[in-house]
């Protein structure tokens, strides 16, 4: 337990050094003011009393009967179970709202609360909640995308590449990707698109480029309670790249060439695999971009919006 705690503190220090003050996704003041028509805070999507199963919901300022939805997931190396208030509100969320998307920012269980695949069970529950509560919150369930930064980018990406897969076998491991969280088990958990911002997507190859050393226990080691050389199938089951095939929904990737936490080769491998499989994809690799820093230019945010609009409208 002591080793895990030391690893946790070490990883949190890495994240703190990698990020500017104010949270993930570039500098943000403690409370970001968003222009919305309606907001709901701390909505429980699982039907329990757990903080890690709550979400914040934002509707665009321009009122409509229904809005396409993006579920945006914070980054934390899977260590934070209450990070929705720092989910790139002043950057990604703001851009999505201005483009007419409802945005849902969920919490999820941390690696200290539960081991993988609990985290994808939570995100699948959010997707089903969006469909199940569509009328109440003015969601248009015909278009639901996932988005996320860092470990949130991982969850957004794997929600996409496993879309439609409830259970599978990875090597010798049987993995349940759906779970039974929430009040809407019969709703569909498929997504229509995904945005990966600096996500670790191949957890078998985190040493593909230069980056900070994570110590004896990496975040993925803690999440899986294992080691890559002992149980490689667990790490494959955690990797969005493992599930890439032609049935995947469109995915757009953003990664900084100078990312020293999640090496840029992660995004580049993902992009090449998606292209080879015939999946609709785009990628932007920012020459001076770090892990969050320098990534959220107006140009990149507009690329995200344009991609989602094109997918949604069938262009």
């Amino acid at each position: 337990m002591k080793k895990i705690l030391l690893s946790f503190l070490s990883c949190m220090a890495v994240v703190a050094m990698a990020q500017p003050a104010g949270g993930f996704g570039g500098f943000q003041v403690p409370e970001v003011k968003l222009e919305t028509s309606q907001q709901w805070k701390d909505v429980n999507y699982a039907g329990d009393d757990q903080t890690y199963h709550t979400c914040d919901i934002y509707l665009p300022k321009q009122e409509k009967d229904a809005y396409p939805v993006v579920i945006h997931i914070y980054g934390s190396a899977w260590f934070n179970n209450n990070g929705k208030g720092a989910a790139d509100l002043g950057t990604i969320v703001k851009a999505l709202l201005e483009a007419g998307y409802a945005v849902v920012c969920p919490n999820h269980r941390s690696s200290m609360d539960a081991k993988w695949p609990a985290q994808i069970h939570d995100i699948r529950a959010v997707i089903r909640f969006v469909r199940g509560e569509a009328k109440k919150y003015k969601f248009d369930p015909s278009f639901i995308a996932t988005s996320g930064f860092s470990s949130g980018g991982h969850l957004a990406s794997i929600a996409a590449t496993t879309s439609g897969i409830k259970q599978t076998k990875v090597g010798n491991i049987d993995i349940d990707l759906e779970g039974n969280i929430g009040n809407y088990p019969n709703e569909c958990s498929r997504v229509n698109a995904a945005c990966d911002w600096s996500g670790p997507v191949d957890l078998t190859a985190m040493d593909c480029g230069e980056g900070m050393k994570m110590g004896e226990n990496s975040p993925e080691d803690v999440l899986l309670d294992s080691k890559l050389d002992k149980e490689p199938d667990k790490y494959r089951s955690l990797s969005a790249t493992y599930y890439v095939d032609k049935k995947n929904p469109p995915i757009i990737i953003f990664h900084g060439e100078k990312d020293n936490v999640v090496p840029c080769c992660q995004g580049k491998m993902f992009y090449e695999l998606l292209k080879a499989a015939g999946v609709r994809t785009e990628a932007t690799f920012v020459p001076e971009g770090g892990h969050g820093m320098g990534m959220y230019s107006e140009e990149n945010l507009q690329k995200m919006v344009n991609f989602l609009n094109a997918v949604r409208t069938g262009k």
Side-chain angles (χ1 to χ4, degrees):
M1 183 66 189
K2 183 178 178 182
K3 288 182 178 180
I4 291 178
L5 179 60
L6 289 172
S7 176
F8 168 76
L9 293 174
S10 173
C11 289
M12 288 298 94
V14 166
V15 171
M17 288 187 289
Q19 299 301 324
F24 294 96
F27 179 81
Q28 293 177 10
V29 293
E31 183 177 359
V32 176
K33 298 294 185 182
L34 297 171
E35 292 190 347
T36 62
S37 59
Q38 285 182 282
Q39 297 183 22
W40 294 266
K41 297 295 181 73
D42 300 321
V43 176
N44 193 289
Y45 61 81
D48 58 24
D49 60 355
Q50 299 296 326
T51 298
Y52 54 56
H53 281 153
T54 59
C55 65
D56 296 341
I57 299 169
Y58 306 92
L59 299 187
K61 185 177 180 180
Q62 183 180 358
E63 294 194 46
K64 291 185 178 180
D65 292 335
Y67 305 89
V69 182
V70 178
I71 297 164
H72 184 70
I73 310 160
Y74 58 86
S76 71
W78 306 285
F79 282 126
N80 191 346
N81 66 8
N82 190 15
K84 59 185 174 58
D88 313 294
L89 300 183
T91 52
I92 294 170
V93 172
K94 181 175 181 287
L96 290 167
L97 286 170
E98 290 177 350
Y101 289 87
V103 182
V104 178
C105 295
N107 283 335
H108 59 77
R109 282 172 288 177
S110 73
S111 57
M112 310 305 258
D113 297 309
K115 301 308 177 186
W116 177 259
Q119 293 69 30
I120 193 62
H121 292 175
D122 290 349
I123 300 308
R124 292 279 187 95
V126 177
I127 298 164
R128 296 194 304 268
F129 169 85
V130 167
R131 289 196 165 94
E133 297 280 2
K135 186 174 181 180
K136 178 177 180 179
Y137 294 106
K138 298 184 180 180
F139 297 143
D140 177 0
S142 70
F143 186 86
I144 302 172
T146 48
S147 172
F149 165 70
S150 194
S151 61
H154 161 265
L155 290 172
S157 296
I158 202 164
T161 60
T162 65
S163 193
I165 304 173
K166 293 190 175 185
Q167 190 154 355
T168 192
K169 195 174 183 70
V170 179
N172 294 319
I173 295 175
D174 289 309
I175 182 168
D176 172 13
L177 293 164
E178 189 71 25
N180 58 2
I181 302 297
N183 296 324
Y184 298 100
N186 296 323
E187 293 289 349
C188 177
S189 62
R190 289 179 179 270
V191 295
N192 301 96
C195 306
D196 168 24
W197 293 87
S198 311
V201 289
D202 186 346
L203 283 304
T204 71
M206 288 300 291
D207 60 352
C208 64
E210 294 184 7
M212 290 184 175
K213 301 303 180 185
M214 294 297 178
E216 184 179 347
N217 291 298
S218 69
E220 57 270 26
D221 292 344
V222 178
L223 182 62
L224 295 168
D225 191 24
S226 190
K227 294 288 185 182
L228 177 60
D229 60 351
K230 291 182 178 179
E231 296 183 286
D233 287 340
K234 278 191 175 183
Y235 292 74
R236 294 186 184 100
S237 80
L238 182 61
S239 300
T241 52
Y242 179 83
Y243 306 96
V244 168
D245 69 29
K246 62 182 180 181
K247 296 178 181 178
N248 293 165
I251 300 173
I252 189 169
I253 300 163
F254 297 89
H255 217 120
E257 295 271 8
K258 294 188 176 180
D259 190 329
N260 64 348
V261 178
V262 178
C264 189
C265 44
Q266 287 278 308
K268 290 182 176 180
M269 288 190 297
F270 196 23
Y271 178 58
E272 293 301 327
L273 283 170
L274 291 168
K275 279 201 307 179
V279 178
R280 181 173 182 174
T281 186
E282 293 180 13
T284 297
F285 302 111
V286 181
E288 298 300 315
H291 195 60
M293 297 181 69
M295 294 299 297
Y296 304 105
S297 65
E298 290 298 321
E299 180 182 4
N300 284 350
L301 293 171
Q302 192 59 53
K303 283 182 180 179
M304 170 189 67
V305 168
N306 290 346
F307 184 82
L308 293 174
N309 286 347
V311 174
R312 184 169 56 85
T313 58
K315 293 182 179 179

